[in-house]
Amino acid sequence: MKTNCINNISFGAKFSTCDLSNTNTEIFKLFKERTNEYPHLTFKHNQSSTIGDDHFIIIGNNKILGEKSASFSNNIDAYPTVEDKVNRFVRIFKSIINETIKH
């Protein structure tokens, strides 16, 4: 398994993926711009199954702060553009923040 990480980011949450089809640098750039209020968090995506939901986690201070299974890879046709993909990742990221971290 290969993980792609982004280093030396001065704003926004970091995004990491184990799914090589999501390594588009524009996705990483837009994601960190849209999550700039969370500069010390890393959002990890793991395509755990092609027929089930993917697994997403948020890491901060070397600890898992929240996690969630959510539809992405199994419904990839619903996100045909980079913009659509980024919007989906941001929605998942913020739902983890709201459901698990802020409580």
Side-chain angles (χ1 to χ4, degrees), residues 19-82:
D19 178 5
L20 297 178
S21 67
N22 291 319
T23 58
N24 183 323
T25 56
E26 188 68 14
I27 290 174
F28 297 137
K29 177 182 173 242
L30 291 172
F31 180 84
K32 70 180 180 177
E33 287 174 1
R34 294 179 187 172
T35 58
N36 63 359
E37 67 269 33
Y38 305 101
H40 304 294
L41 299 180
T42 299
F43 182 59
K44 289 194 172 254
H45 169 225
N46 181 18
Q47 181 183 342
S48 55
S49 171
T50 57
I51 58 172
D53 289 345
D54 294 354
H55 188 235
F56 297 88
I57 62 173
I58 294 178
I59 298 172
N61 295 322
N62 296 318
K63 296 186 294 188
I64 294 176
L65 301 177
E67 60 186 310
K68 178 178 190 159
S69 291
S71 174
F72 180 75
S73 297
N74 61 344
N75 195 23
I76 196 70
D77 292 338
Y79 317 107
T81 67
V82 166

